[in-house]
Amino acid sequence: MEEDIDTRKINNSFLRDHSYATEADIISTVEFNHTGELLATGDKGGRVVIFQREQESKNQPHRRGEYNVYSTFQSHEPEFDYLKSLEIEEKINKIRWLPQQNAAYFLLSTNDKTVKLWKVSERDKRPEGYNLKDEDGRLRDPSMITMLRVPVLRPMDLMVEATPRRVFANAHTYHINSISVNSDYETYMSADDLRINLWNFEITNQSFNIVDIKPANMEELTEVITAAEFHPHHCNTFVYSSSKGTIRLCDMRASALCDRHSKCEYFHQKNPMKEIKNLVKCEWNGFESGSKFSLRSNLQTPRSSGDVIMTGSYNNFFRMFDRNTKRDVTLEASRENSKPRAILKPRKVCVGGKRRKDEISVDSLDFSKKILHTAWHPSENIIAVAATNNLYIFQDKVN
């Protein structure tokens, strides 16, 4: 991926920005739905903000691809575990969309302990002409009802409603780090530091433990689960990663408790730090530390080959690597270059020695600013990048 080629073609949109940001405004997860028409973000304040893509207009064809706020709702509230004397944060750790089956949308959101299933639907009509209550909703005196009325639907301003349909709680002792919807669309799994549970969408008070790596003696603990993901097509297969840098492939047909994995891949050298850290995240079209693989070869030509890797970095930089050409480019998500449809320029970091005019000294990097959450559009050259409380959308330039 040559820098002089890929610089040119990347536009950006600046969706979510606050001049004054609190801790609760920091974005903690980003996720496109299966069509890419909706983009959901969760933050540390327990809120979910859904953006909808603009429909193509003959008068303004260039607006295709822009995302606007569609719905905002409070998914989780802070709680307190009185038995363990622990505060449970409202921070949204992960969002997963379910495939759309009707006019409504469904998504899962989770904090450290509780997973919720949300229904997001539109309403542009309201019923009028009730028999037992008046237009203000007050009950009418039955003795005053002299005729039977047939209720009718009247047009109203479009309203987007988010309603909780299921609450899956009390199944995790440790913090939930990931959720994944199965391809059978009847089950999903949730993973915490030491266990992975399998849920049925219709049953909220019971789950099945399919992975348990908790040692009998916690002093012998050497690794934790960092992420888990179902296979996109085979409902019996899933992978999970650990802080040791391993990714294990499991088949639920082999046994109810997947203590023995089918395959194990080692991706990292042992961390010299004794602390257990979240090192590995897993995706089915590739694996990389803190990274995501795309479904295309580069930002110019969509392809389902998974050849491009995107990873966040410090100073609000994010990098893209082409596995075939072995080339890479460093870009920046910042407020300075956040004008709509602006062309991104590659950034170069000077490690030492003489610095060129277009290079940035490594000493001037802001290590408090970092890209931790990114998402690829499922089929087009569009990416979402979260930088603290700001959300950026980057896409190919439309000529």
Side-chain angles (χ1 to χ4, degrees):
M1 183 187 297
E2 290 190 69
E3 293 183 353
D4 57 350
I5 293 179
D6 278 326
T7 335
R8 73 263 163 186
K9 300 280 186 184
I10 305 175
N11 284 345
N12 76 58
S13 301
F14 197 36
L15 291 186
R16 176 172 168 172
D17 174 37
H18 307 278
S19 56
Y20 175 76
T22 64
E23 183 76 10
D25 296 322
I26 296 177
I27 299 173
S28 54
T29 185
V30 182
E31 187 76 13
F32 281 101
N33 74 339
H34 291 76
T35 64
E37 295 301 306
L38 297 179
L39 171 65
T41 65
D43 60 28
K44 288 189 173 183
R47 296 180 296 265
V48 172
V49 180
I50 301 176
F51 300 89
Q52 185 180 47
R53 194 179 187 186
E54 283 279 345
Q55 298 299 316
E56 187 173 1
S57 171
K58 294 182 179 179
N59 298 328
Q60 295 178 311
H62 66 279
R63 290 186 62 86
R64 174 64 174 169
E66 295 186 3
Y67 287 79
N68 296 317
V69 175
Y70 178 66
S71 177
T72 303
F73 60 92
Q74 188 73 31
S75 175
H76 287 72
E77 300 283 355
E79 300 177 39
F80 189 81
D81 188 334
Y82 291 96
L83 293 177
K84 298 181 179 179
S85 298
L86 292 175
E87 292 184 0
I88 302 175
E89 293 183 343
E90 64 271 34
K91 171 192 170 187
I92 306 298
N93 293 335
K94 194 68 68 174
I95 292 175
R96 283 289 185 264
W97 290 92
L98 277 69
Q100 188 177 7
Q101 305 292 335
N102 49 43
Y105 302 97
F106 289 86
L107 62 85
L108 289 171
S109 63
T110 184
N111 65 351
D112 287 342
K113 300 294 183 181
T114 305
V115 182
K116 294 184 179 181
L117 175 64
W118 291 89
K119 176 183 178 181
V120 181
S121 57
E122 297 181 354
R123 185 155 61 94
D124 59 359
K125 293 181 176 61
R126 66 172 183 270
E128 291 184 359
Y130 288 107
N131 289 285
L132 299 179
K133 58 183 179 180
D134 58 23
E135 303 303 330
D136 296 327
R138 295 189 295 262
L139 292 177
R140 300 173 60 190
D141 184 356
S143 62
M144 302 297 294
I145 301 176
T146 59
M147 59 180 296
L148 181 66
R149 296 189 297 177
V150 178
V152 295
L153 294 175
R154 302 291 186 189
M156 60 174 285
D157 293 336
L158 179 65
M159 179 183 298
V160 181
E161 299 175 318
T163 54
R165 301 303 300 270
R166 302 281 191 278
V167 178
F168 306 89
N170 305 319
H172 285 277
T173 304
Y174 307 98
H175 292 175
I176 299 173
N177 53 51
S178 59
I179 49 179
S180 178
V181 179
N182 201 343
S183 60
D184 62 11
Y185 307 137
E186 295 181 358
T187 58
Y188 77 94
M189 66 180 174
S190 56
D192 64 26
D193 296 334
L194 297 178
R195 297 187 179 97
I196 300 177
N197 293 334
L198 180 67
W199 300 82
N200 187 291
F201 280 111
E202 300 300 324
I203 303 173
T204 61
N205 60 355
Q206 185 181 24
S207 63
F208 297 94
N209 181 228
I210 55 177
V211 172
D212 189 344
I213 66 170
K214 181 182 178 181
N217 183 1
M218 286 296 286
E219 293 182 358
E220 299 176 358
L221 179 66
T222 59
E223 65 177 329
V224 294
I225 297 171
T226 57
E229 191 79 18
F230 270 118
H231 190 281
H233 305 298
H234 303 302
C235 62
N236 56 282
T237 309
F238 69 93
V239 293
Y240 70 93
S241 57
S242 80
S243 56
K244 279 188 174 180
T246 59
I247 295 178
R248 295 178 173 90
L249 174 66
C250 300
D251 189 339
M252 291 190 292
R253 295 173 300 183
S255 63
L257 184 62
C258 299
D259 287 334
R260 295 185 178 181
H261 47 268
S262 303
K263 188 176 182 181
C264 179
E265 295 289 345
Y266 195 87
F267 283 84
H268 294 270
Q269 297 296 324
K270 185 176 180 181
N271 186 5
M273 301 295 290
K274 292 184 179 180
E275 302 174 1
I276 296 177
K277 296 184 178 179
N278 182 358
L279 291 180
V280 184
K281 298 179 181 179
C282 56
E283 295 256 333
W284 268 102
N285 16 8
F287 306 103
E288 184 73 14
S289 174
S291 307
K292 291 199 174 182
F293 279 62
S294 74
L295 301 175
R296 57 204 57 80
S297 60
N298 54 50
L299 279 179
Q300 181 181 11
T301 307
R303 286 173 56 187
S304 58
S305 56
D307 292 330
V308 177
I309 310 168
M310 175 172 60
T311 181
S313 185
Y314 294 103
N315 203 67
N316 282 358
F317 287 171
F318 62 97
R319 304 188 68 187
M320 292 184 170
F321 303 87
D322 191 306
R323 295 194 294 170
N324 292 331
T325 64
K326 309 299 182 184
R327 298 184 182 275
D328 65 273
V329 62
T330 300
L331 303 168
E332 181 181 8
S334 67
R335 300 178 65 180
E336 286 71 23
N337 58 11
S338 62
K339 294 181 180 179
R341 317 202 73 75
I343 304 297
L344 287 186
K345 297 180 179 180
R347 309 307 298 266
K348 298 179 181 179
V349 178
C350 176
V351 179
K354 189 175 180 180
R355 181 171 64 90
R356 296 181 181 179
K357 184 178 180 181
D358 59 342
E359 292 181 336
I360 301 173
S361 172
V362 69
D363 297 327
S364 64
L365 297 180
D366 188 346
F367 292 96
S368 65
K369 297 179 180 179
K370 46 195 172 184
I371 303 294
L372 295 177
H373 307 285
T374 62
W376 288 91
H377 188 285
S379 58
E380 297 185 33
N381 299 327
I382 299 176
I383 57 175
V385 176
T388 58
N389 62 305
N390 302 319
L391 178 66
Y392 300 84
I393 297 291
F394 300 96
Q395 66 182 66
D396 274 354
K397 181 180 178 181
V398 180
N399 295 321

